Amino acid sequence: MRFDVTILGSSSATPIYNRNPTAQALNINERFYLIDCGEGTQQQMLRFDIKSSRIDYIFISHLHGDHYLGLVGLLSSLHLNGRKKPLTLFGPPHLKEIIDIQFKYSETTLHFELIFYPTNAEKAEVILDNQDITVETIILDHRVACTGFLFRQKRRLRKINKEKADELEVPVTYYSILKRGVDYLTTDGQVHPNSELTTPADEPMAYAYCSDTLYNESYFKQIANVDLLYHEATFAHAMLDRANETHHTTALQAGEIARLTGAKKLLIGHFSARYKTLTELLDEARSVFPETELAIEGKNFIIGN
Amino acid sequence: MRFDVTILGSSSATPIYNRNPTAQALNINERFYLIDCGEGTQQQMLRFDIKSSRIDYIFISHLHGDHYLGLVGLLSSLHLNGRKKPLTLFGPPHLKEIIDIQFKYSETTLHFELIFYPTNAEKAEVILDNQDITVETIILDHRVACTGFLFRQKRRLRKINKEKADELEVPVTYYSILKRGVDYLTTDGQVHPNSELTTPADEPMAYAYCSDTLYNESYFKQIANVDLLYHEATFAHAMLDRANETHHTTALQAGEIARLTGAKKLLIGHFSARYKTLTELLDEARSVFPETELAIEGKNFIIGN
């Protein structure tokens, strides 16, 4: 099962040339889960060939413009491009009001159902549980109500025992079915139990998305041992006072968080426009957590498979 | 006096790769007048090196998202980048409500004064009259209330008589003053009347911006003889029915309008996403009005000087 994330935007409040405001497209089993939707997200999806028609869920962390200003444009385009299937949106309660007023004055009635679930920034809870994953909110500590999102795979795929499969001349087209645990039925009606042809799946993987927040231990336990942690790192640690004042995290703190929570890998993003190059931030996070990467536009990171 | 326009977006409702929703930056005497502000306009300004800090006026034609969804992001960035000087915004009455609700929920109090003048889509009127230009609304015929904008220079600069200036050894740095009609004072106190050193200025120039609208003769008289006419041309004429239904203009009609109103030059834009290349639209408009150009992203068109 595919489980990876493509970065569509990495900048904080103000965009700079080549850095767009926050948005990420999570591909889980060939369905897209869009996390945040800063201005220009739909253009970024065109640029990086992420089919917006395949978005089934959108998650908005909070109501600062750099995290949601691309939403109405994206919804409009989906509408104009003939979308019929429902779309589920999670976000702060007032987000609906912001969308409604704009569609009211543009006299737009969406051709698809927009199902809105308001998030609660007071209490972490499971907000989605479908066949592939569960999603929990993470209570963050920002200037306005803000939640992160924790995506946990429900199951992973069993692994093909290639030697045995070759021996039984299993057609390659059958592999995806075997990986899901189904027994193998030969053309002459013989049944081979799945366990003969596959080995157990690895543990389910998890992705935690934490933006925007002050360094605050309250959510550390919840995100323990995730396979990939995205954490904002707006400033270098030299600007700790500014980070505290604006309720943001420094790159050093992001590295610390990854280390303390036992993350396998860390992605940092939401960079302040003052950093024209990002080496300083990357080096700083790596000084405490070597497995750190920059959440740069267009880059894809595999969480599991 | 500089009087030119840089195209920041040329697409209609849905953006496509490399075509952004509508926005234009008019440079009049080194101040920017932004016309419409589709999603991603602030990123386009970064791309084409248009300093957003130099915008003094913003004009929004109507409340379809492709004409204003970049506005809140732009205002936020101006705020975060420390703007102090007031900014004047013209647009449909409900635009203010859309802005206010978003700043309310993001808990943003702008550090600069945003002066809002609601436009009246029932009656053409002068909405701005400053030292350089007058701006009139143009009543367009769209699905929602929509106005275009007509920019008329108040005066142009006198022209230097180079031969005479050289003869009197006028320093080049003095030219801009002479062009404004001031007499020439030599270092030894001798006065040369301005008329000796300059010839009269050309007639003031005019730029008409018409987007979005059904072909409708009601505004033709008002835009007669402009130096540059920007007119939407969403569809090719083969799609006239669709144009009528959605209250848009075809490229052939845009050419006709330029011819009938005596425009010196025509710019067409607001292209439907269905046209991957624009030759068909350009050829069609040129078939009736040869002096037509495509309003392509990043291109700058001189209206006067």
Side-chain angles (χ1 to χ4, degrees):
Chain A
M1 183 173 113
R2 255 188 92 162
F3 189 24
D4 57 51
V5 61
T6 302
I7 307 304
L8 301 172
S10 71
S11 85
S12 64
T14 56
I16 68 169
Y17 184 62
N18 269 343
R19 291 220 300 265
N20 251 62
T22 301
Q24 301 188 358
L26 206 54
N27 184 328
I28 302 177
N29 204 11
E30 299 307 334
R31 299 160 86 178
F32 282 117
Y33 296 64
L34 183 67
I35 315 172
D36 279 336
C37 187
E39 180 179 354
T41 295
Q42 61 172 326
Q43 285 104 317
Q44 293 290 84
M45 296 184 85
L46 292 169
R47 181 166 295 128
F48 301 123
D49 207 22
I50 302 285
K51 301 268 176 291
S52 57
S53 59
R54 276 165 53 201
I55 299 173
D56 283 327
Y57 303 96
I58 302 179
F59 301 82
I60 302 294
S61 62
H62 67 296
L63 292 183
H64 281 156
D66 54 325
H67 292 259
Y68 83 87
L69 283 176
L71 184 60
V72 170
L74 175 64
L75 296 175
S76 297
S77 293
L78 291 173
H79 161 76
L80 291 165
N81 289 332
R83 184 185 180 104
K84 292 283 177 276
K85 63 175 175 170
L87 192 149
T88 303
L89 172 67
F90 299 88
H94 293 301
L95 178 60
K96 192 62 187 354
E97 205 177 326
I98 289 172
I99 296 169
D100 286 348
I101 195 178
Q102 297 187 72
F103 284 143
K104 175 180 157 193
Y105 292 129
S106 65
E107 297 180 13
T108 302
T109 306
L110 293 179
H111 292 146
F112 61 89
E113 189 186 5
L114 180 66
I115 305 160
F116 179 66
Y117 291 106
T119 49
N120 177 353
E122 301 293 321
K123 187 176 166 295
E125 54 195 4
V126 174
I127 55 172
L128 176 64
D129 182 334
N130 67 16
Q131 64 183 9
D132 296 323
I133 51 152
T134 60
V135 183
E136 297 163 40
T137 48
I138 303 166
I139 304 310
L140 301 177
D141 183 356
H142 198 41
R143 304 196 301 283
V144 297
C146 183
T147 69
F149 302 100
L150 175 58
F151 298 81
R152 286 188 194 280
Q153 270 183 324
K154 281 187 131 164
R155 56 178 177 80
R156 298 186 65 194
L157 297 174
R158 293 181 69 84
K159 296 172 194 165
I160 303 290
N161 177 337
K162 192 76 175 61
E163 206 173 301
K164 186 71 183 172
D166 285 350
E167 184 191 317
L168 294 176
E169 295 180 349
V170 179
V172 177
T173 49
Y174 216 102
Y175 281 15
S176 61
I177 300 166
L178 291 179
K179 285 179 182 171
R180 285 180 168 75
V182 177
D183 293 339
Y184 175 53
L185 184 69
T186 63
T187 44
D188 58 5
Q190 224 182 321
V191 177
H192 295 270
N194 185 279
S195 59
E196 214 177 275
L197 283 150
T198 65
T199 52
D202 290 331
E203 283 301 296
M205 311 289 269
Y207 177 59
Y209 173 88
C210 300
S211 187
D212 301 3
T213 189
L214 187 70
Y215 180 98
N216 184 325
E217 296 182 3
S218 63
Y219 59 90
F220 288 9
K221 197 172 156 197
Q222 188 189 5
I223 63 169
N225 306 314
V226 296
D227 300 280
L228 184 62
L229 167 63
Y230 168 81
H231 204 288
E232 71 126 302
T234 307
F235 299 106
H237 206 67
M239 297 203 65
L240 178 62
D241 288 350
R242 180 83 183 134
N244 287 335
E245 185 193 331
T246 56
H247 282 230
H248 283 300
T249 305
T250 69
L252 191 79
Q253 289 176 326
E256 275 294 333
I257 295 166
R259 193 180 61 80
L260 290 169
T261 62
K264 309 277 189 309
K265 201 166 175 170
L266 170 68
L267 269 185
I268 55 171
H270 199 263
F271 311 117
S272 162
R274 80 194 63 222
Y275 303 105
K276 303 307 172 210
T277 62
L278 301 169
T279 328
E280 178 186 358
L281 298 174
L282 182 61
D283 289 350
E284 194 173 285
R286 282 184 174 170
S287 72
V288 283
F289 192 79
E291 284 301 306
T292 304
E293 299 288 344
L294 295 169
I296 290 297
E297 275 78 356
K299 269 201 140 181
N300 178 277
F301 299 92
I302 291 172
I303 304 155
N305 49 40
Chain B
M1 181 172 113
R2 256 188 92 162
F3 189 25
D4 58 51
V5 61
T6 302
I7 307 304
L8 302 172
S10 70
S11 85
S12 65
T14 55
I16 67 169
Y17 184 60
N18 270 342
R19 291 221 299 267
N20 251 62
T22 302
Q24 301 188 358
L26 206 54
N27 184 327
I28 301 177
N29 204 10
E30 300 305 335
R31 298 161 86 179
F32 281 116
Y33 297 63
L34 183 67
I35 315 172
D36 279 337
C37 186
E39 181 180 354
T41 295
Q42 60 172 327
Q43 285 104 319
Q44 293 290 86
M45 296 183 85
L46 290 170
R47 184 165 293 130
F48 300 124
D49 208 22
I50 302 285
K51 302 267 176 292
S52 56
S53 58
R54 276 165 53 201
I55 300 172
D56 283 328
Y57 302 97
I58 301 178
F59 302 82
I60 302 294
S61 62
H62 66 296
L63 293 184
H64 280 157
D66 54 324
H67 292 259
Y68 83 86
L69 283 176
L71 184 59
V72 170
L74 175 63
L75 296 177
S76 297
S77 293
L78 291 173
H79 161 75
L80 291 166
N81 289 331
R83 184 184 179 106
K84 293 280 177 278
K85 64 176 175 170
L87 191 149
T88 303
L89 172 68
F90 301 89
H94 293 301
L95 178 58
K96 192 63 184 357
E97 207 176 324
I98 290 172
I99 297 169
D100 285 348
I101 194 176
Q102 297 187 73
F103 284 143
K104 175 180 156 193
Y105 292 130
S106 65
E107 298 179 12
T108 303
T109 305
L110 294 179
H111 293 146
F112 61 89
E113 188 185 7
L114 180 67
I115 304 160
F116 179 66
Y117 291 106
T119 50
N120 177 354
E122 302 293 321
K123 188 175 168 293
E125 53 195 6
V126 174
I127 55 171
L128 176 64
D129 183 334
N130 66 16
Q131 65 183 8
D132 296 322
I133 51 151
T134 60
V135 184
E136 296 163 39
T137 49
I138 303 166
I139 304 310
L140 301 176
D141 183 356
H142 197 41
R143 304 195 302 282
V144 297
C146 184
T147 68
F149 301 100
L150 176 57
F151 298 81
R152 287 188 194 281
Q153 272 182 323
K154 282 187 131 163
R155 56 178 177 79
R156 297 187 67 194
L157 297 173
R158 295 180 67 86
K159 296 173 195 166
I160 303 290
N161 178 337
K162 192 74 177 61
E163 205 173 303
K164 186 71 183 171
D166 286 349
E167 185 191 316
L168 294 175
E169 294 179 350
V170 178
V172 177
T173 48
Y174 216 102
Y175 281 13
S176 60
I177 300 166
L178 291 179
K179 284 180 183 172
R180 286 180 168 75
V182 177
D183 292 340
Y184 176 54
L185 184 70
T186 63
T187 43
D188 59 3
Q190 223 181 319
V191 176
H192 294 270
N194 186 279
S195 59
E196 213 177 273
L197 282 150
T198 66
T199 54
D202 289 332
E203 282 301 296
M205 310 289 267
Y207 178 59
Y209 173 88
C210 300
S211 186
D212 302 6
T213 188
L214 188 71
Y215 180 98
N216 183 325
E217 297 182 1
S218 62
Y219 58 90
F220 288 7
K221 199 174 154 195
Q222 187 189 5
I223 62 168
N225 306 315
V226 295
D227 300 279
L228 183 62
L229 168 63
Y230 167 81
H231 205 287
E232 71 127 302
T234 309
F235 299 106
H237 206 67
M239 296 203 65
L240 179 62
D241 288 350
R242 180 84 184 134
N244 286 336
E245 187 191 329
T246 55
H247 281 230
H248 284 299
T249 305
T250 69
L252 192 79
Q253 289 176 327
E256 274 295 331
I257 294 165
R259 193 180 61 79
L260 291 169
T261 62
K264 308 277 189 310
K265 200 166 177 169
L266 171 66
L267 270 186
I268 57 171
H270 199 261
F271 310 117
S272 162
R274 80 194 62 222
Y275 302 105
K276 304 305 171 208
T277 61
L278 302 169
T279 328
E280 178 186 359
L281 298 174
L282 182 62
D283 289 349
E284 194 173 286
R286 281 185 174 169
S287 73
V288 284
F289 192 80
E291 285 298 308
T292 303
E293 300 288 344
L294 295 168
I296 291 295
E297 274 79 355
K299 270 202 137 180
N300 177 277
F301 299 92
I302 291 171
I303 303 156
N305 48 41

